[in-house]
Amino acid sequence: MKALHATSIYSFEIEDHLLNGENVSFKPSPNTSGYFQSGSPDTIVIHFTAGSSLESSVNVLTNADSGVSAHFAIGRNGDIVQMLSTNKIAWHAGESYYEGRNGLNRYSIGIELDNAGQLKDRGNGAYESWFGEIYDKHEVLAAQHINQQSTGYWHKYTEVQISRTLSLCKALCSHYNISTIVGHDEIAPSRKVDPGPAFPIQKFKAAALKGNSEQWATEASETNSQREAHDQIQRDSVSAVKRVANVSANSLNVRKGPDITFSKIENGLNKGEVLKILEKQGEWAKVSYTKVGWVNTRYINEITEKSPFKS
Ligand SMILES: [Zn+2]
């Protein structure tokens, strides 16, 4: 089992809202709505490109007609292309919602990782991307996306790509007041599946936000080892009960247990807030958001829409 050396081994620095470091280039994108307001950026959103190469994705993200952009794109060899200075708003998040705020473009830095995205199983260990390229099973992770109902096949990221992304995020966190790192699939769960289960988002958040590189280096080797696909399917069927929902009531009490007699967790939830369902008991569901508690399922909508490819 090969360990992932995703420690902060790359020397990156932000200067005048531009990234300095080895194998970093700048190709400007015209797709911006101007400068962030003060206090932003405070969030980083991680994406996959669902593209065939770094170059092709950068071409789209810097084309005035595409209507999309991101601050950074990171290739499978770790090369980084910056397309907007990090004091300007990019167009990467689209319709999105997270912890009480809509339209995350106004608050966030967007990082796109070159990755083919969700793949189709063609049999005999071959997996096909939406653009027709075939990938070997060693490049593919079989796992159920938390927003989907069944096992999917996901193009793996490379180690250098993830470790360079981590170093970039650490540089951003030390320069700006970044409090949140999220996947696009967490802020637009009914539309998006990127960066998906092949990206170890929870460990990445802990390592980038808390600087806990030692924990990352040992635990990440488990997530990113070259595990055979059928092992992963077995492993993920255990956690297959996980679902995503949003709040349908105008306000919703969260309680410490699955009954109205349990005390409320302060603040509660507002309409539209996104939850992960951890388990159910009767008409109650244990959910996680910034906290963990129990809600009555009459007041939430489970999100079951599948959107396998980036639109
Ligand atoms: Zn995305």
Side-chain angles (χ1 to χ4, degrees):
M1 193 176 286
K2 197 175 171 191
L4 180 71
H5 300 293
T7 47
S8 194
I9 53 176
Y10 303 103
S11 172
F12 289 144
E13 201 175 22
I14 309 290
E15 198 179 325
D16 293 332
H17 310 287
L18 294 172
L19 179 67
N20 288 331
E22 273 184 45
N23 301 316
V24 174
S25 59
F26 188 79
K27 184 180 178 189
S29 175
N31 300 334
T32 176
S33 30
Y35 293 99
F36 285 116
Q37 294 197 340
S38 71
S40 291
D42 60 16
T43 296
I44 295 171
V45 181
I46 307 288
H47 304 261
F48 62 49
T49 57
S52 58
S53 69
L54 177 64
E55 191 183 15
S56 66
S57 296
V58 168
N59 284 343
V60 171
L61 294 164
T62 56
N63 182 334
D65 296 329
S66 73
V68 291
S69 59
H71 296 90
F72 301 97
I74 304 186
R76 301 186 67 77
N77 64 357
D79 282 359
I80 297 179
V81 181
Q82 182 168 5
M83 295 162 284
L84 280 167
S85 56
T86 43
N87 58 343
K88 286 187 168 176
I89 295 169
W91 300 339
H92 57 98
E95 196 178 309
S96 50
Y97 183 90
Y98 194 74
E99 291 184 351
R101 299 192 303 194
N102 291 307
L104 272 289
N105 282 341
R106 286 174 291 154
Y107 311 106
S108 63
I109 290 169
I111 301 176
E112 294 271 0
L113 277 65
D114 178 23
N115 179 287
Q118 189 165 8
L119 308 172
K120 290 198 173 84
D121 184 3
R122 291 299 185 217
N124 298 319
Y127 299 85
E128 187 178 0
S129 68
W130 68 271
F131 47 86
E133 188 148 337
I134 299 293
Y135 298 85
D136 179 82
K137 66 178 179 182
H138 296 295
E139 298 172 273
V140 178
L141 177 76
Q144 183 175 349
H145 194 290
I146 197 156
N147 300 352
Q148 295 182 343
Q149 305 286 330
S150 57
T151 296
Y153 302 95
W154 305 88
H155 190 201
K156 287 181 181 174
Y157 298 89
T158 67
E159 290 186 14
V160 67
Q161 194 175 28
I162 292 179
S163 59
R164 297 265 291 178
T165 306
L166 179 59
S167 292
L168 168 59
C169 287
K170 285 186 171 187
L172 292 167
C173 287
S174 66
H175 192 80
Y176 299 103
N177 199 10
I178 304 287
S179 58
T180 304
I181 297 175
V182 285
H184 200 188
D185 45 12
E186 294 175 86
I187 62 170
S190 64
R191 300 187 300 119
K192 294 296 177 182
V193 293
D194 62 312
F199 190 86
I201 188 80
Q202 297 305 336
K203 285 161 189 156
F204 188 90
K205 288 178 189 183
L209 290 169
K210 295 171 193 159
N212 197 347
S213 58
E214 196 178 332
Q215 182 189 1
W216 167 269
T218 50
E219 291 191 4
S221 62
E222 180 203 335
T223 307
N224 290 280
S225 64
Q226 303 294 303
R227 189 187 289 120
E228 292 295 272
H230 63 266
D231 293 341
Q232 191 64 29
I233 292 169
Q234 288 168 352
R235 210 173 85 101
D236 284 301
S237 64
V238 175
S239 58
V241 293
K242 285 185 184 171
R243 294 282 182 272
V244 173
N246 57 32
V247 176
S248 56
N250 285 328
S251 66
L252 178 58
N253 291 326
V254 182
R255 297 183 183 274
K256 290 181 177 172
D259 188 281
I260 200 161
T261 59
F262 286 92
S263 62
K264 292 177 195 171
I265 293 173
E266 58 180 343
N267 293 331
L269 291 162
N270 295 312
K271 192 170 196 166
E273 286 197 67
V274 177
L275 314 166
K276 284 177 185 168
I277 297 178
L278 304 174
E279 64 174 281
K280 284 186 178 174
Q281 280 186 33
E283 64 174 358
W284 291 82
K286 188 178 185 181
V287 298
S288 77
Y289 49 108
T290 55
K291 295 171 180 163
V292 172
W294 292 83
V295 298
N296 191 303
T297 53
R298 280 183 290 169
Y299 306 115
I300 61 173
N301 292 319
E302 286 192 50
I303 297 164
T304 55
E305 182 188 344
K306 294 180 190 178
S307 52
F309 302 123
K310 189 183 173 90
S311 57

